[in-house]
Amino acid sequence: MGAVGLALASCGDADAESGETALVDAPPGVHVLSPTDQLVRVSMALRGTRPSPDELDAVAADPERIGEIVDGYLESESFGETIRDLHNEALLVLVDYPIFPAGFLPTGPVADADPYALNRSIMEAPLRLIEHVVMEDRPYSEIVTAEYTLANRLVAGVWGLAYDGDGSSWGSTQWTDGRDNAGVLSDSWFFQRHQSTISNGNRGRANAVSRALLCHDFLSRDIQVDGTVDLADPEVVADAVVRDPNCASCHQALDPMASFFAGYYPAFVPAFVSYPHGVYFEELSYLYGFNPRPSSYFGSAGEGLADLGAMIAADPRFTLCAAKRFYAYFHQTELDDVPLEVASPLQQVLTSSGMSAKALTTA
């Protein structure tokens, strides 16, 4: 990974009384941390814990040691937990475990499970996949293109996935019910968390994906809704989203993207199901009488989740959104407040490093 760029090269002499290092010709109001304080800041951001006394002593003696120490942080389990937390802010998959849309009961193949552990495992599965991609320094695009998913014994028991681990460990497996394996885009819980109704036609799910992975929220558009449209009449609404210019400006992109998720159940109550529970059926939308538009991604035609994942991965908004999310999380600022002039160079780091999220984190 190389040394972390922490502006040490431009630091001046340390203040003998405070031990802090001042930046030569620093702009007014700018406070530059000492090397040891920089290490504390980085350690807290990446791991949620302070550096060890030995690490602080090492950096006090030689500030150039920061790089190798931080490289070690990027291999720690604590950093993996941070990656899960960071991406939950995007996917919003962690909810209160006993309440719908969660509330899976320990029964059947998972009858011996603690209810909290059962539900937490199900909810964490997409985050565990992302953690795996990042910690193994695999291309970050695999979060939407991976031909595998991750499961422990509980997740495998609920969804009917193959599993040969020791029970508690997370291992690689695959969906075999007809859906494409496309990273988090294939996860059953993700689309139970972001559920749909028959009339909604998976539009909310499509927007959840767009908001999380592209930082593009269709609901943020300033749209003037025609007050004469009878929103209580599904047939009138279906016509309006195609023919009314105010509606079509969003729906011409949103609805074809929603069609990629037509095989997922609109919603189910976990407390009423048995395991293994299937939530994906290729012709499901037609059984419910919903005829979706041909699937496409912002005008580019595709079929199946694998096509969708590939198109998301190739979209510059995907890497720019990742750069913004990482910066916003580690600097504790709002996503919308990340300036483009800050995010764009970080995006370049991600793309030029072979899509390494560790390189992005370091930058």
Side-chain angles (χ1 to χ4, degrees), residues 79-90 94 127 329:
F79 177 61
E81 294 175 7
T82 296
I83 288 297
R84 297 202 302 272
D85 189 58
L86 187 162
H87 286 87
N88 183 57
E89 291 193 358
L94 300 183
L127 304 177
Y329 182 89

Side-chain angles (χ1 to χ4, degrees), residues 6-298:
L6 292 170
L8 292 177
S10 58
C11 290
D13 296 331
D15 184 291
E17 186 173 341
S18 67
E20 295 181 348
T21 303
L23 185 68
V24 177
D25 298 326
V30 171
H31 175 76
V32 179
L33 298 178
S34 68
T36 52
D37 283 346
Q38 289 183 39
L39 183 64
V40 171
R41 171 70 181 86
V42 174
S43 181
M44 292 297 295
L46 297 185
R47 306 185 303 160
T49 59
R50 294 177 60 84
S52 69
D54 289 344
E55 290 168 343
L56 290 169
D57 290 343
V59 169
D62 180 7
E64 296 295 329
R65 294 287 302 279
I66 288 183
E68 65 182 79
I69 292 173
V70 172
D71 286 347
Y73 291 167
L74 297 179
E75 304 301 322
S76 67
E77 291 185 7
S78 296
F79 177 61
E81 294 175 7
T82 296
I83 288 297
R84 297 202 302 272
D85 189 58
L86 187 162
H87 286 87
N88 183 57
E89 291 193 358
L91 301 182
L92 303 176
V93 290
L94 300 183
V95 299
D96 198 354
Y97 81 94
I99 301 173
F100 180 83
F104 291 84
L105 299 180
T107 184
V110 295
D112 61 338
D114 172 79
Y116 175 80
L118 172 63
N119 284 269
R120 182 74 181 198
S121 293
I122 293 168
M123 291 186 283
E124 276 198 347
L127 304 177
R128 293 280 182 171
L129 170 63
I130 297 174
E131 177 190 19
H132 170 78
V133 169
V134 173
M135 296 305 293
E136 295 295 320
D137 210 17
R138 303 181 67 84
Y140 185 71
S141 54
E142 276 195 19
I143 72 171
V144 291
T145 64
E147 296 181 355
Y148 59 87
T149 189
L150 258 65
N152 61 7
R153 178 182 69 88
L154 303 179
V155 173
V158 168
W159 303 130
L161 298 168
Y163 178 78
D164 58 3
D166 62 9
S168 61
S169 64
W170 290 81
S172 178
T173 185
Q174 287 186 315
W175 303 99
T176 58
D177 55 6
R179 77 185 80 179
D180 291 339
N181 283 270
V184 298
L185 300 176
S186 303
D187 188 81
S188 288
W189 163 250
F190 183 42
F191 295 107
Q192 163 69 358
R193 166 64 181 89
H194 299 284
Q195 57 203 274
S196 182
T197 62
I198 297 173
S199 59
N200 178 256
N202 298 295
R203 295 182 182 104
R205 287 167 166 168
N207 193 48
V209 170
S210 179
R211 184 179 61 243
L213 301 175
L214 305 177
C215 297
H216 176 80
D217 189 348
F218 285 91
L219 296 179
S220 68
R221 293 190 180 185
D222 187 12
I223 302 296
Q224 297 296 323
V225 179
D226 186 350
T228 66
V229 176
D230 183 3
L231 299 179
D233 188 328
E235 292 186 3
V236 172
V237 172
D239 182 70
V241 298
V242 175
R243 301 183 186 280
D244 187 310
N246 292 316
C247 300
S249 62
C250 276
H251 285 274
Q252 64 183 354
L254 178 63
D255 290 10
M257 187 175 174
S259 296
F260 283 105
F261 311 113
Y264 287 100
Y265 262 139
F268 63 89
V269 179
F272 298 160
V273 303
S274 58
Y275 313 132
H277 182 60
V279 301
Y280 186 90
F281 301 93
E282 194 168 354
E283 303 298 326
L284 181 64
S285 61
Y286 300 102
L287 295 177
Y288 278 101
F290 174 69
N291 187 16
R293 298 192 197 184
S295 55
S296 70
Y297 177 78
F298 294 96

